[in-house]
Amino acid sequence: MTSIQTESRSGSRSGVGASVLRPDGTLKVTGEFAYSSDLWLDGMLWGATLRSPHPSAWIRSIDIGPALAMPGVFAVLTHEDVPGEKFYGLDRRDQPVLAVDQVRYQGEPVALVAADHPETARRAAAAIVVAYEPREAVVDPRRAAFDPSCPPVHPDGNLVRHQPVRVGDAGPEARMADGAAAEVVVTGEYEVGMQDQAFLGPESGLAVPAEDGGVDLFIATQWLHVDQDQVAPCLGLPKEKVRLSLAGVGGAFGAREDLSMQIHASMLALRTGRPVKIVYGREESFFGHVHRHPAWMRYEHGATADGRLVYVRAEILLDGGAYCSTSPAVVGNAASLGVGPYEVDNVRIDAYGVYTNNPPCGAMRGFGAVQACYAYESQMDRLAEACGLSPVEIRIRNAVSQGSRLATGQVVDSPAPLAGMLRELAAMPLPEPSTTGPSITGPSITGPSITGPSIIGPSIIGPAVTRLSSTEPPAVPDLRSLPGGVAQTTHGEGVRRGVGYGVGIKNICFSEGFDDYSTARVRVELLGGEPHVLVHTAAAEVGQGLITVKEQIARTELGIDKVTVAPADTSVGSAGSSSASRQSYVTGGAVKAACEAVRERLDRLHADGPGLSLEELLERFGPVEETREYRHRPTFPMDPVTGQGDSHTQLALCVHRAVVDVDVELGLVKVVELAAVQDVGRILNPLALEGQIHGGTAQGLGLALMEEIQVRDGRVLNPSFTDYLIPTILDMPPMRLSILENPDPHAPYGLRGAGEPPTLSSTPAVAAAVRAATGLELPRVPIRPEDIALPAATPTPA
């Protein structure tokens, strides 16, 4: 018997593979979307947080009297008022709800206030008197890791995790499997600054006390159930009395995996018996969430004369700041992916995560793989130059493919067409030479350095550099196309063009044995005489378009066009975090599985009522509902000594080419074009996918050229979007995209997570292009103008 559901499935034009528009898209661009900061209840109070001004200090006393005496203040709370456990954390419960006897970073929460007006709450918080005894702050991660005399940030020391990877003999005597020895050795030291996620919607939420003694929390987060797991014990409540619902999220990128004000708002609501809303301002937001780990890396690559890798040695040091957060997993990613998507028989990697009194660091898009990628890609460019090969050719000669074995011993068991991706990228047309002024017109712009095969020629510094100069009469410049833009910093003089490449490999989903799953409940019923699908998960929509994907999967599997996605909350099973590029994979898999279960029940009902339409079946038998969990295949922890193990469930590749114009006199950079090739397995929504690749690329560009939290002696110097710079629409260049579909047989629909990989490869591509234009080593990102600007008398490459 043919299933009526199968017949109707074929007619859906808005299922998997279609560019279905997002239901929240119009509301967001018109300013009508309700974010968590827009939440409101009559009679609610406003919460405020007092934070430490010191990166490291003992707390000798706290006097809340002046705050309590202020009119309009309903509650002032310290650590003594925490009703349950005083510590929480994602990996280790090492972070206090409110500082107990000491503070470990600037901005650590010390006390809370609830008042009838936000300004009253802020003034009351400022009136609290705290007696601090400042002490030596541990701000040097290398000292924290390796100096026995360094003060411990935590009682058990400063080491969060050390993860080695050992394969073969990664030293001067190393040999390849065919006996070849290293004839060329390149070394380098690299640094990645502290990047902020820079989401536009600051931390905010509303806690409402409930009649059963519990609390209902409406919050912008990435992971409802792990928030619940941490909040409930600190409130001294069972989990079922702490109910979380997802409020409108204004971006996340990893920063909302950790708690911010969830426990604080709930404590104030339970103490006062009234709803309490907390909204961070922009400056407080910089102190209220984790950031990307800054990294210091030493690499040594040995290769044969023809560019085949013989060995890689690396030391990767990640500053986790004052508390653990997700540092252990970040270290695992950096170690397991530390040589990149390249075949090499001999590897020695040591990755470390350490505690310091710097701002806490945790999840951010790319999650440990970003830092390592910048270093190993910089090394590949050095190796290309030393071997007399192009940056593309050196990568092709060492590229992994299906069947390759990674440094951890894990076999790549799905398509990995890296060599072909690189060839396709190199074959893409380069942007036209700029003709905006005297220094960027004339024959030199069309010479061998910019067009033709030599753009991937023997050096990233020599032939790939063009001096944009001419003796022709000046043209009227379009300043928007030049470094510095309309600021009139240049009309083309001192501007050079460079081209660079970057490759990145990123694990998808959670790794190292984590029980990674998602839950979906799907219901089919008649509404208004028509079949309707309701999809309910706890997966957080943080701007990535997950709601749309869930709708598309339901339409594809059930053939019913009318689909509603219920708001995410903790009344349904966990969906895990909206991170690790995992939600399309695991929540998509759960929705698919639940839809399949519903379809099977409908088929059985159809057998009991042959000849009935779907509407008639539902009218006779009522709604059909099924709940399913979906787990990807198991992963395993890395061996603590050798680093070996099948630690990842899926790997994704992206390659970038960057073209930049650099004003070497002022140190200004204009990214002229970015091109990317990415394999996504199966495209679920082309338009949304392009947005993910563009967005990830933008964050990679930001890390390469402008984004960094400036920290000095443990203190943040630039907690604002005035001084913390992020790319704007004027900074993002045109992009060429090629999106490949080589299905992963282990994943739902063959898809491959796509949100993070472009963040990896874009950063080293931009940095390599700036190196090509300037001839400078530039071992650190973000690249600052003072890193580039050359004295007028300095000779320039021909």
Side-chain angles (χ1 to χ4, degrees):
M1 182 192 308
T2 302
S3 165
I4 58 171
Q5 283 73 41
T6 301
E7 291 174 347
S8 63
R9 285 169 67 203
S10 63
S12 178
R13 294 184 297 273
S14 54
V16 169
S19 285
V20 180
L21 298 181
R22 294 169 49 157
D24 56 342
T26 299
L27 295 173
K28 286 180 174 177
V29 298
T30 58
E32 298 173 273
F33 184 82
Y35 290 98
S36 57
S37 56
D38 297 311
L39 294 167
W40 185 275
L41 275 179
D42 288 340
M44 73 180 188
L45 302 175
W46 295 82
T49 309
L50 175 68
R51 297 178 180 274
S52 167
H54 304 288
S56 182
W58 296 107
I59 296 176
R60 296 311 183 192
S61 65
I62 302 177
D63 181 4
I64 63 174
L68 281 172
M70 295 179 65
V73 172
F74 283 72
V76 181
L77 307 180
T78 69
H79 73 90
E80 295 179 346
D81 301 297
V82 177
E85 296 181 11
K86 292 181 180 288
F87 294 84
Y88 68 93
L90 276 174
D91 187 273
R92 304 173 191 172
R93 301 208 166 182
D94 63 347
Q95 189 158 358
V97 174
L98 293 168
V100 180
D101 59 348
Q102 60 186 298
V103 291
R104 292 185 172 93
Y105 71 98
Q106 180 198 20
E108 180 155 1
V110 175
L112 307 172
V113 172
D116 58 6
H117 190 279
E119 184 56 35
T120 301
R122 286 190 286 268
R123 287 190 290 109
I128 298 170
V129 179
V130 183
Y132 295 101
E133 183 182 318
R135 63 192 183 194
E136 179 187 0
V138 178
V139 297
D140 180 354
R142 186 162 294 280
R143 183 183 178 217
F146 306 120
D147 184 352
S149 68
C150 181
V153 177
H154 288 269
D156 56 353
N158 294 331
L159 183 64
V160 178
R161 182 181 182 183
H162 168 218
Q163 180 58 60
V165 178
R166 302 287 188 267
V167 183
D169 176 18
E173 305 302 318
R175 295 289 188 275
M176 297 180 66
D178 62 6
E183 301 164 279
V184 178
V185 176
V186 295
T187 61
E189 296 189 10
Y190 305 96
E191 184 178 346
V192 174
M194 184 185 292
Q195 187 179 20
D196 188 64
Q197 296 85 350
F199 46 65
L200 297 185
E203 295 84 348
S204 51
L206 177 68
V208 183
E211 292 182 356
D212 65 355
V215 65
D216 293 292
L217 182 60
F218 301 87
I219 187 69
T221 183
Q222 290 179 240
W223 194 346
L224 288 165
H225 281 82
V226 85
D227 283 8
Q228 183 187 47
D229 289 342
Q230 296 173 88
V231 173
C234 294
L235 298 179
L237 293 172
K239 285 201 298 184
E240 59 269 19
K241 287 193 174 184
V242 179
R243 296 166 290 268
L244 280 74
S245 298
L246 187 70
V249 182
F253 313 113
R256 299 189 201 268
E257 272 203 336
D258 291 79
L259 296 183
S260 57
M261 41 63 63
Q262 286 91 322
I263 302 174
H264 298 162
S266 299
M267 285 174 56
L268 291 169
L270 292 172
R271 172 61 68 93
T272 62
R274 292 173 62 171
V276 173
K277 177 178 178 178
I278 294 180
V279 181
Y280 291 174
R282 180 59 58 191
E283 179 174 335
E284 186 174 16
S285 178
F286 273 91
F287 297 103
H289 63 255
V290 297
H291 314 287
R292 188 186 300 287
H293 292 70
W296 293 260
M297 297 164 286
R298 296 174 177 171
Y299 269 75
E300 180 179 307
H301 282 56
T304 61
D306 59 358
R308 293 178 298 151
L309 285 173
V310 176
Y311 73 88
V312 175
R313 297 171 63 94
E315 179 185 276
I316 302 168
L317 179 60
L318 299 159
D319 183 355
Y323 294 105
C324 179
S325 183
T326 54
S327 288
V330 172
V331 171
N333 273 10
S336 63
L337 304 174
V339 301
Y342 302 114
E343 293 185 335
V344 56
D345 294 333
N346 303 282
V347 176
R348 182 184 179 92
I349 294 175
D350 288 284
Y352 302 88
V354 296
Y355 289 120
T356 66
N357 292 120
N358 292 320
C361 292
M364 185 176 173
R365 195 177 198 166
F367 202 80
V370 164
Q371 294 91 326
C373 182
Y374 176 68
Y376 65 66
E377 285 300 275
S378 298
Q379 284 286 100
M380 293 302 286
D381 284 339
R382 288 188 179 211
L383 194 61
E385 183 183 4
C387 293
L389 298 171
S390 75
V392 170
E393 182 59 32
I394 193 76
R395 290 167 169 85
I396 289 175
R397 293 189 182 188
N398 294 284
V400 297
S401 59
Q402 187 167 0
S404 295
R405 191 175 295 274
L406 302 178
T408 59
Q410 183 165 359
V411 174
V412 179
D413 61 358
S414 62
L418 179 55
M421 294 166 67
L422 283 161
R423 292 188 181 98
E424 180 174 351
L425 181 69
M428 287 183 177
L430 285 160
E432 290 295 319
S434 177
T435 56
T436 57
S439 64
I440 40 180
T441 59
S444 65
I445 192 64
T446 58
S449 301
I450 293 299
T451 62
S454 67
I455 194 62
I456 55 171
S459 173
I460 63 166
I461 297 177
V465 176
T466 295
R467 172 67 174 177
L468 306 180
S469 59
S470 172
T471 57
E472 295 183 8
V476 177
D478 180 353
L479 298 181
R480 294 172 297 178
S481 68
L482 292 172
V486 295
Q488 289 273 17
T489 58
T490 183
H491 284 193
E493 62 277 7
V495 175
R496 305 180 199 163
R497 177 160 290 185
V499 179
Y501 292 85
V503 175
I505 183 169
K506 176 65 176 65
N507 63 306
I508 305 301
C509 299
F510 290 158
S511 300
E512 291 202 72
F514 190 90
D515 184 17
D516 194 11
Y517 71 95
S518 182
T519 312
R521 182 182 300 148
V522 173
R523 178 184 178 93
V524 175
E525 59 188 335
L526 280 183
L527 292 177
E530 294 184 292
H532 194 101
V533 182
L534 178 67
V535 179
H536 189 189
T537 79
E541 169 63 70
V542 296
Q544 78 276 45
L546 179 63
I547 290 175
T548 313
V549 168
K550 290 189 286 188
E551 290 178 348
Q552 291 177 260
I553 291 172
R555 293 190 189 105
T556 296
E557 296 301 323
L558 295 171
I560 300 172
D561 285 333
K562 294 186 179 298
V563 179
T564 298
V565 175
D569 58 35
T570 51
S571 69
V572 66
S574 176
S577 176
S578 289
S579 61
S581 304
R582 62 180 289 280
Q583 286 293 12
S584 292
Y585 193 125
V586 290
T587 295
V591 172
K592 183 175 184 290
C595 287
E596 290 169 344
V598 167
R599 194 171 70 240
E600 290 172 5
R601 280 190 56 192
L602 288 172
D603 285 346
R604 291 196 298 270
L605 293 176
H606 187 260
D608 295 333
L612 297 180
S613 67
L614 176 58
E615 291 82 354
E616 292 168 331
L617 282 177
L618 293 172
E619 187 171 7
R620 174 182 293 189
F621 297 106
V624 175
E625 180 178 292
E626 293 288 343
T627 300
R628 290 291 184 273
E629 288 182 352
Y630 178 85
R631 284 173 167 82
H632 58 67
R633 54 187 175 151
T635 59
F636 302 92
M638 298 172 69
D639 185 278
V641 176
T642 66
Q644 299 303 288
D646 292 348
S647 58
H648 303 308
T649 192
Q650 189 184 67
L651 297 161
L653 296 167
C654 185
V655 298
H656 269 89
R657 183 187 69 196
V659 180
V660 304
D661 284 345
V662 182
D663 185 331
V664 297
E665 297 168 355
L666 296 178
L668 302 177
V669 179
K670 172 73 174 180
V671 183
V672 176
E673 183 192 81
L674 287 162
V677 180
Q678 186 167 339
D679 185 357
V680 301
R682 170 83 183 276
I683 299 174
L684 302 189
N685 185 312
L687 185 62
L689 175 63
E690 289 181 17
Q692 284 289 301
I693 298 174
H694 279 263
T697 300
Q699 285 188 308
L701 182 155
L703 178 59
L705 296 177
M706 59 186 73
E707 293 191 48
E708 183 177 11
I709 295 179
Q710 301 283 338
V711 181
R712 184 179 302 158
D713 298 327
R715 300 177 186 275
V716 176
L717 304 182
N718 59 333
S720 74
F721 282 168
T722 299
D723 299 311
Y724 181 92
L725 304 180
I726 57 176
T728 69
I729 193 170
L730 294 178
D731 298 302
M732 276 301 293
M735 280 195 69
R736 300 179 190 268
L737 291 183
S738 175
I739 301 174
L740 308 183
E741 293 186 277
N742 291 287
D744 180 349
H746 309 287
Y749 300 113
L751 67 84
R752 197 178 299 275
E756 292 176 286
T759 310
L760 275 67
S761 48
S762 50
T763 298
V766 172
V770 177
R771 291 190 193 110
T774 63
L776 300 172
E777 290 190 0
L778 302 175
R780 186 186 191 280
V781 287
I783 298 169
R784 301 167 177 152
E786 59 265 32
D787 299 329
I788 297 172
L790 303 178
T794 300
T796 58

